[in-house]
Amino acid sequence: MNQPCDPVRVLLVDDHADSLRAMAALLEGADRQVVTADSGEEALRCLLQGDYAVVLLDVKMAGLDGYETAALIRSREKTRQIPIIFLTSNNKEVDHVAKGYSHGAVDYLFKPFPPAILRSKVDVFVELAKKNVALTRQNAELQRAKKELAERARELARSNTDLEHFAYVASHDLKEPLRMVSSYVNLLARRYKDRLDTDANDFIDFAVHGVNRMERLIQDVLSYSRVGGKRESQIVNGEQVLAGAIARLGSCIRDSEALITHEPLPTFDSSQMRPRCASMIRLHNASPTPEPSYSAWLCKR
């Protein structure tokens, strides 16, 4: 949202009070503040106190004349670029006009001048100053936004580093007890598979499958957390993965007379998305199936 600019200032310099009052009345407006000075010295003091859109400077004045005042204005870095319009009722010779331009004037007007002409010339510089103020403000806002963005980027980098560290520690701590469970489940499978009833064999298969899946999940979490590192990934078609999942659930789907619907699926990283593929399937008129092989066993009961 653009904020309204403060009124810009216009400086009138003339050692004739009547002339100052007339020009001030002519140039006043809601978008500007008209400041008057009755000498070159007073004008320089005004310029030390703020920025101005334009300076209207009488050539012939007591003390510092217009040319000398303009030279001093141009000698100061902060005021060097302020537009100066010379006003005079004398010094109409070409040499004096050339001298005015050589002192940095943007225009040279002879009194008496049409009020509308002076007003239109000043309006141009007022509008230009307002645009410069708005541009300066926008640049400042842009710099603040860039600074905030850079700070957020640094915070995100720190967060990603913390996340990777946490995932590494968590996966390491989870792998230790899981490794022990996996060892004993596999030992149980080798020693007692086919020596017990069919249900026991199925239970052993479920345990082995669950341990293997848990190991993949832990590894996938660790890999996915490494957002700053390079990871090899295999991009597969989501429709193919869904078709494979439906095939593995074939007997359960037939026995439960489930209706499977899905929206078009994109391609994705199979190593990271595979554990979630079951959530893409909606089974209507059927119980939730958190584990495909276990669900198939339930469907046979």
Side-chain angles (χ1 to χ4, degrees), residues 90-162:
N90 302 310
N91 302 324
K92 297 183 179 181
E93 294 83 1
V94 174
D95 291 343
H96 286 285
V97 175
K99 184 178 180 180
Y101 284 114
S102 68
H103 280 76
V106 297
D107 209 341
Y108 199 105
L109 297 180
F110 300 107
K111 299 177 182 179
F113 40 74
I117 296 295
L118 181 62
R119 174 82 186 196
S120 63
K121 289 180 181 292
V122 171
D123 286 348
V124 170
F125 293 109
V126 168
E127 288 301 317
L128 180 60
K130 289 163 58 178
K131 290 180 180 179
N132 286 338
V133 170
L135 181 60
T136 300
R137 181 175 296 174
Q138 290 175 0
N139 287 338
E141 293 175 353
L142 179 60
Q143 292 303 318
R144 285 195 296 270
K146 286 183 177 180
K147 185 176 180 180
E148 292 177 0
L149 182 60
E151 180 60 29
R152 291 181 181 179
R154 287 191 292 268
E155 292 177 358
L156 180 60
R158 289 194 296 268
S159 177
N160 288 339
T161 301
D162 293 342

Side-chain angles (χ1 to χ4, degrees), residues 14-21 23 38 58 60-61 111:
D14 198 321
D15 58 356
H16 289 85
D18 292 341
S19 181
L20 277 179
R21 284 194 295 270
M23 286 193 296
D38 58 6
D58 188 35
K60 189 177 181 180
M61 295 185 297
K111 299 177 182 179

Side-chain angles (χ1 to χ4, degrees), residues 2-239:
N2 295 328
Q3 298 179 355
C5 294
D6 297 330
V8 298
R9 285 184 281 195
V10 176
L11 180 59
L12 308 180
V13 188
D14 198 321
D15 58 356
H16 289 85
D18 292 341
S19 181
L20 277 179
R21 284 194 295 270
M23 286 193 296
L26 172 65
L27 299 176
E28 65 182 4
D31 61 346
R32 69 199 69 181
Q33 177 187 359
V34 178
V35 180
T36 60
D38 58 6
S39 67
E41 293 84 356
E42 181 65 22
L44 295 175
R45 282 192 288 269
C46 291
L47 290 170
L48 290 174
Q49 298 173 4
D51 298 326
Y52 286 82
V54 62
V55 176
L56 280 72
L57 187 57
D58 188 35
V59 172
K60 189 177 181 180
M61 295 185 297
L64 288 175
D65 65 17
Y67 299 134
E68 293 169 332
T69 304
L72 291 172
I73 292 173
R74 290 287 178 259
S75 67
R76 184 167 175 258
E77 180 67 28
K78 188 175 181 180
T79 58
R80 184 169 299 163
Q81 302 301 322
I82 298 178
I84 297 175
I85 299 177
F86 278 118
L87 307 174
T88 184
S89 56
N90 302 310
N91 302 324
K92 297 183 179 181
E93 294 83 1
V94 174
D95 291 343
H96 286 285
V97 175
K99 184 178 180 180
Y101 284 114
S102 68
H103 280 76
V106 297
D107 209 341
Y108 199 105
L109 297 180
F110 300 107
K111 299 177 182 179
F113 40 74
I117 296 295
L118 181 62
R119 174 82 186 196
S120 63
K121 289 180 181 292
V122 171
D123 286 348
V124 170
F125 293 109
V126 168
E127 288 301 317
L128 180 60
K130 289 163 58 178
K131 290 180 180 179
N132 286 338
V133 170
L135 181 60
T136 300
R137 181 175 296 174
Q138 290 175 0
N139 287 338
E141 293 175 353
L142 179 60
Q143 292 303 318
R144 285 195 296 270
K146 286 183 177 180
K147 185 176 180 180
E148 292 177 0
L149 182 60
E151 180 60 29
R152 291 181 181 179
R154 287 191 292 268
E155 292 177 358
L156 180 60
R158 289 194 296 268
S159 177
N160 288 339
T161 301
D162 293 342
L163 175 61
E164 183 174 346
H165 178 70
F166 171 78
Y168 175 80
V169 173
S171 64
H172 181 271
D173 292 344
L174 288 173
K175 283 181 179 179
E176 288 304 317
L178 185 62
R179 186 177 294 112
M180 182 179 68
V181 173
S182 177
S183 298
Y184 281 105
V185 167
N186 285 304
L187 179 62
L188 182 65
R190 288 195 301 271
R191 287 189 178 183
Y192 297 104
K193 189 174 178 63
D194 298 329
R195 297 177 59 182
L196 303 173
D197 60 18
T198 303
D199 286 349
N201 290 336
D202 289 338
F203 296 155
I204 292 174
D205 289 339
F206 299 152
V208 172
H209 179 83
V211 169
N212 293 337
R213 184 165 180 254
M214 189 63 186
E215 288 179 341
R216 290 197 303 270
L217 284 171
I218 293 174
Q219 186 59 42
D220 289 343
V221 169
L222 179 60
S223 298
Y224 191 74
S225 69
R226 292 172 178 166
V227 294
K230 295 181 178 179
R231 304 187 303 273
E232 294 184 0
S233 61
Q234 180 183 3
I235 304 302
V236 299
N237 189 303
E239 300 287 346

